[in-house]
mmCIF file of all heavy atoms in Angstrom:
data_model
loop_
_atom_site.group_PDB
_atom_site.id
_atom_site.type_symbol
_atom_site.label_atom_id
_atom_site.label_comp_id
_atom_site.label_asym_id
_atom_site.label_seq_id
_atom_site.Cartn_x
_atom_site.Cartn_y
_atom_site.Cartn_z
ATOM 1 N N VAL A 21 9.712 13.769 -3.961
ATOM 2 C CA VAL A 21 10.840 12.848 -4.044
ATOM 3 C C VAL A 21 11.124 12.505 -5.509
ATOM 4 O O VAL A 21 10.209 12.360 -6.319
ATOM 5 C CB VAL A 21 10.561 11.571 -3.219
ATOM 6 C CG1 VAL A 21 9.473 10.726 -3.858
ATOM 7 C CG2 VAL A 21 11.836 10.767 -3.027
ATOM 8 N N GLN A 22 12.406 12.429 -5.847
ATOM 9 C CA GLN A 22 12.825 12.144 -7.214
ATOM 10 C C GLN A 22 13.219 10.669 -7.354
ATOM 11 O O GLN A 22 13.466 9.975 -6.369
ATOM 12 C CB GLN A 22 14.015 13.026 -7.597
ATOM 13 C CG GLN A 22 13.737 14.510 -7.478
ATOM 14 C CD GLN A 22 12.633 14.966 -8.420
ATOM 15 O OE1 GLN A 22 12.674 14.672 -9.616
ATOM 16 N NE2 GLN A 22 11.649 15.679 -7.892
ATOM 17 N N ILE A 23 13.260 10.214 -8.595
ATOM 18 C CA ILE A 23 13.608 8.815 -8.861
ATOM 19 C C ILE A 23 14.936 8.447 -8.216
ATOM 20 O O ILE A 23 15.070 7.390 -7.585
ATOM 21 C CB ILE A 23 13.657 8.554 -10.380
ATOM 22 C CG1 ILE A 23 12.241 8.598 -10.971
ATOM 23 C CG2 ILE A 23 14.299 7.199 -10.670
ATOM 24 C CD1 ILE A 23 12.190 8.362 -12.461
ATOM 25 N N LYS A 24 15.933 9.322 -8.353
ATOM 26 C CA LYS A 24 17.257 9.023 -7.795
ATOM 27 C C LYS A 24 17.181 8.882 -6.282
ATOM 28 O O LYS A 24 17.850 8.014 -5.690
ATOM 29 C CB LYS A 24 18.238 10.147 -8.182
ATOM 30 C CG LYS A 24 19.680 9.868 -7.767
ATOM 31 C CD LYS A 24 20.226 8.659 -8.505
ATOM 32 C CE LYS A 24 21.696 8.428 -8.152
ATOM 33 N NZ LYS A 24 22.226 7.192 -8.779
ATOM 34 N N GLN A 25 16.375 9.693 -5.633
ATOM 35 C CA GLN A 25 16.236 9.622 -4.179
ATOM 36 C C GLN A 25 15.568 8.320 -3.754
ATOM 37 O O GLN A 25 15.992 7.689 -2.777
ATOM 38 C CB GLN A 25 15.433 10.820 -3.665
ATOM 39 C CG GLN A 25 16.155 12.148 -3.798
ATOM 40 C CD GLN A 25 15.238 13.314 -3.490
ATOM 41 O OE1 GLN A 25 14.263 13.576 -4.191
ATOM 42 N NE2 GLN A 25 15.529 14.017 -2.401
ATOM 43 N N ILE A 26 14.519 7.910 -4.484
ATOM 44 C CA ILE A 26 13.864 6.635 -4.190
ATOM 45 C C ILE A 26 14.874 5.496 -4.316
ATOM 46 O O ILE A 26 14.942 4.590 -3.471
ATOM 47 C CB ILE A 26 12.677 6.386 -5.145
ATOM 48 C CG1 ILE A 26 11.521 7.338 -4.827
ATOM 49 C CG2 ILE A 26 12.219 4.934 -5.066
ATOM 50 C CD1 ILE A 26 10.759 6.985 -3.565
ATOM 51 N N GLU A 27 15.658 5.552 -5.371
ATOM 52 C CA GLU A 27 16.677 4.517 -5.595
ATOM 53 C C GLU A 27 17.661 4.470 -4.422
ATOM 54 O O GLU A 27 17.986 3.397 -3.902
ATOM 55 C CB GLU A 27 17.418 4.798 -6.903
ATOM 56 C CG GLU A 27 18.422 3.714 -7.277
ATOM 57 C CD GLU A 27 19.093 3.990 -8.616
ATOM 58 O OE1 GLU A 27 18.716 4.979 -9.288
ATOM 59 O OE2 GLU A 27 19.987 3.223 -8.984
ATOM 60 N N GLU A 28 18.108 5.641 -3.970
ATOM 61 C CA GLU A 28 19.068 5.704 -2.865
ATOM 62 C C GLU A 28 18.453 5.201 -1.560
ATOM 63 O O GLU A 28 19.111 4.516 -0.778
ATOM 64 C CB GLU A 28 19.577 7.135 -2.698
ATOM 65 C CG GLU A 28 20.485 7.591 -3.840
ATOM 66 C CD GLU A 28 20.805 9.080 -3.768
ATOM 67 O OE1 GLU A 28 20.219 9.772 -2.898
ATOM 68 O OE2 GLU A 28 21.630 9.541 -4.578
ATOM 69 N N ILE A 29 17.171 5.554 -1.327
ATOM 70 C CA ILE A 29 16.474 5.119 -0.108
ATOM 71 C C ILE A 29 16.407 3.598 -0.059
ATOM 72 O O ILE A 29 16.695 2.970 0.970
ATOM 73 C CB ILE A 29 15.058 5.718 -0.053
ATOM 74 C CG1 ILE A 29 15.119 7.221 0.179
ATOM 75 C CG2 ILE A 29 14.224 5.054 1.049
ATOM 76 C CD1 ILE A 29 13.804 7.934 -0.098
ATOM 77 N N VAL A 30 16.035 3.001 -1.186
ATOM 78 C CA VAL A 30 15.874 1.545 -1.227
ATOM 79 C C VAL A 30 17.221 0.847 -1.145
ATOM 80 O O VAL A 30 17.398 -0.120 -0.390
ATOM 81 C CB VAL A 30 15.114 1.124 -2.501
ATOM 82 C CG1 VAL A 30 15.052 -0.402 -2.613
ATOM 83 C CG2 VAL A 30 13.702 1.697 -2.490
ATOM 84 N N ILE A 31 18.196 1.332 -1.894
ATOM 85 C CA ILE A 31 19.520 0.698 -1.914
ATOM 86 C C ILE A 31 20.177 0.759 -0.533
ATOM 87 O O ILE A 31 20.886 -0.171 -0.131
ATOM 88 C CB ILE A 31 20.419 1.371 -2.974
ATOM 89 C CG1 ILE A 31 19.941 0.980 -4.376
ATOM 90 C CG2 ILE A 31 21.878 0.973 -2.791
ATOM 91 C CD1 ILE A 31 20.674 1.690 -5.498
ATOM 92 N N SER A 32 19.934 1.842 0.210
ATOM 93 C CA SER A 32 20.567 1.978 1.528
ATOM 94 C C SER A 32 20.024 0.962 2.532
ATOM 95 O O SER A 32 20.620 0.743 3.585
ATOM 96 C CB SER A 32 20.347 3.398 2.072
ATOM 97 O OG SER A 32 18.977 3.621 2.347
ATOM 98 N N ASN A 33 18.884 0.348 2.223
ATOM 99 C CA ASN A 33 18.311 -0.697 3.072
ATOM 100 C C ASN A 33 18.506 -2.031 2.359
ATOM 101 O O ASN A 33 17.730 -2.403 1.490
ATOM 102 C CB ASN A 33 16.819 -0.416 3.309
ATOM 103 C CG ASN A 33 16.210 -1.340 4.339
ATOM 104 O OD1 ASN A 33 16.416 -2.546 4.297
ATOM 105 N ND2 ASN A 33 15.462 -0.759 5.261
ATOM 106 N N VAL A 34 19.557 -2.747 2.754
ATOM 107 C CA VAL A 34 19.946 -3.966 2.046
ATOM 108 C C VAL A 34 18.828 -5.001 2.056
ATOM 109 O O VAL A 34 18.529 -5.634 1.036
ATOM 110 C CB VAL A 34 21.233 -4.560 2.659
ATOM 111 C CG1 VAL A 34 21.580 -5.883 1.982
ATOM 112 C CG2 VAL A 34 22.379 -3.575 2.522
ATOM 113 N N ASP A 35 18.175 -5.163 3.204
ATOM 114 C CA ASP A 35 17.109 -6.159 3.321
ATOM 115 C C ASP A 35 15.944 -5.815 2.392
ATOM 116 O O ASP A 35 15.394 -6.686 1.720
ATOM 117 C CB ASP A 35 16.631 -6.235 4.776
ATOM 118 C CG ASP A 35 15.613 -7.340 4.991
ATOM 119 O OD1 ASP A 35 15.903 -8.485 4.616
ATOM 120 O OD2 ASP A 35 14.536 -7.055 5.541
ATOM 121 N N LEU A 36 15.581 -4.541 2.335
ATOM 122 C CA LEU A 36 14.491 -4.102 1.474
ATOM 123 C C LEU A 36 14.841 -4.326 0.004
ATOM 124 O O LEU A 36 14.022 -4.830 -0.775
ATOM 125 C CB LEU A 36 14.190 -2.620 1.725
ATOM 126 C CG LEU A 36 13.093 -1.986 0.869
ATOM 127 C CD1 LEU A 36 11.754 -2.689 1.082
ATOM 128 C CD2 LEU A 36 12.961 -0.497 1.202
ATOM 129 N N SER A 37 16.069 -3.973 -0.383
ATOM 130 C CA SER A 37 16.509 -4.163 -1.768
ATOM 131 C C SER A 37 16.427 -5.622 -2.174
ATOM 132 O O SER A 37 15.914 -5.971 -3.248
ATOM 133 C CB SER A 37 17.958 -3.681 -1.934
ATOM 134 O OG SER A 37 18.076 -2.319 -1.645
#
Side-chain angles (χ1 to χ4, degrees):
V21 69
Q22 302 297 309
I23 290 180
K24 186 64 177 176
Q25 291 171 295
I26 289 286
E27 185 177 356
E28 290 171 354
I29 291 166
V30 175
I31 288 175
S32 67
N33 188 313
V34 176
D35 185 53
L36 178 60
S37 299

